[in-house]
Amino acid sequence: MATPKPSTSGGGTVEREMNVHQRSLVDTCFEEEQYEAGIAVLDQLRSPKYKPFPAHIRQLIYIALYPPPDLEEERQPAIFRLEPGSPSKAFARQQATSHAPPPAAVQSALRLLTAFVHTNSPEAISRALPSYPEPGAAADTGMDDEDSFIAKQAVRIKSARSVWEVLREGFVQRAHGAASVPAGKRKGRRPVVDEDDGFGADVDGPSAVGPYAWPVLDWFVTLLERDEQMAERRGQRESSLAFGLSRT
């Protein structure tokens, strides 16, 4: 297996891979479900000198897509949500709900994703996305650490057909079931997607962009714009990230 070549950030700094110790600091926090602490550690490690680990970017995306708790979940204590006559099912449901990232972590994940766009190269960040890289570009290296709840769920992003599949309504759901969807979001106009590309939604099917996925879509657009700017500086006709997405 060939050693991946270092890439260059927007400031011209050579980016190298994070070492195992750096990655484990973040992984440990996520394994203990200390999501905000893990995001804070990852923010401290963020540097133009080091590429973000692809699995960590995927985990940030998953957290950023996580739906908020519905009103019933917020108001009722866990003891009242237990289902009579089914203690094992109720316990499993309570355990799954306890893994959920809090709303504060969702916002922190979005902020950190944006910060990475301004710190590191789009090439380094896009390794985490479900796209086909340009021939010769650096690929996703290393296996995802699947010891934490977030890591196990976020690995689905790696196997998705495209970014559109990740943004699609229902790709990320709360552990206890679907969260309530704001009426304004559900009834609003859906984005126009060409059915020929395989990502369009039926009239009665899920929306092409989920109600809680719009901030992540905005982040992705920012990443594309950043990549286009760097491509222009290099004199390229098309950005490498756009080229990869055109093949999905």
Side-chain angles (χ1 to χ4, degrees), residues 83-222:
E83 299 179 17
S86 180
S88 59
K89 182 177 180 180
F91 178 76
R93 181 177 178 181
Q94 183 181 9
Q95 286 293 101
T97 304
S98 67
H99 295 312
V106 174
Q107 296 304 314
S108 296
L110 283 169
R111 286 193 294 268
L112 184 52
L113 283 170
T114 301
F116 271 120
V117 173
H118 298 289
T119 303
N120 297 95
S121 67
E123 179 186 2
I125 298 171
S126 65
R127 298 182 305 163
L129 302 178
S131 61
Y132 295 95
E134 182 179 5
D140 180 354
T141 58
M143 298 182 63
D144 291 37
D145 181 357
E146 299 182 25
D147 290 338
S148 69
F149 167 79
I150 288 296
K152 291 177 181 178
Q153 299 299 318
V155 75
R156 294 172 51 224
I157 296 175
K158 184 178 182 179
S159 58
R161 292 185 305 164
S162 69
V163 172
W164 287 111
E165 183 178 343
V166 176
L167 297 174
R168 195 181 185 90
E169 181 180 6
F171 184 82
V172 175
Q173 297 183 359
R174 290 191 66 81
H176 73 282
S180 58
V181 177
K185 293 288 188 180
R186 175 78 71 173
K187 298 179 181 179
R189 185 177 64 181
R190 294 177 179 176
V192 177
V193 181
D194 187 355
E195 294 183 357
D196 293 337
D197 63 11
F199 310 123
D202 296 332
V203 175
D204 297 327
S207 299
V209 178
Y212 307 109
W214 290 100
V216 177
L217 174 59
D218 290 340
W219 168 79
F220 181 63
V221 171
T222 301

Side-chain angles (χ1 to χ4, degrees), residues 60-96:
L60 288 177
I61 293 173
Y62 185 87
I63 293 174
L65 289 169
Y66 209 81
D70 54 29
L71 295 178
E72 180 180 358
E73 184 179 347
E74 287 182 329
R75 292 173 179 174
Q76 293 185 356
I79 189 63
F80 295 113
R81 294 201 299 273
L82 299 180
E83 299 179 17
S86 180
S88 59
K89 182 177 180 180
F91 178 76
R93 181 177 178 181
Q94 183 181 9
Q95 286 293 101

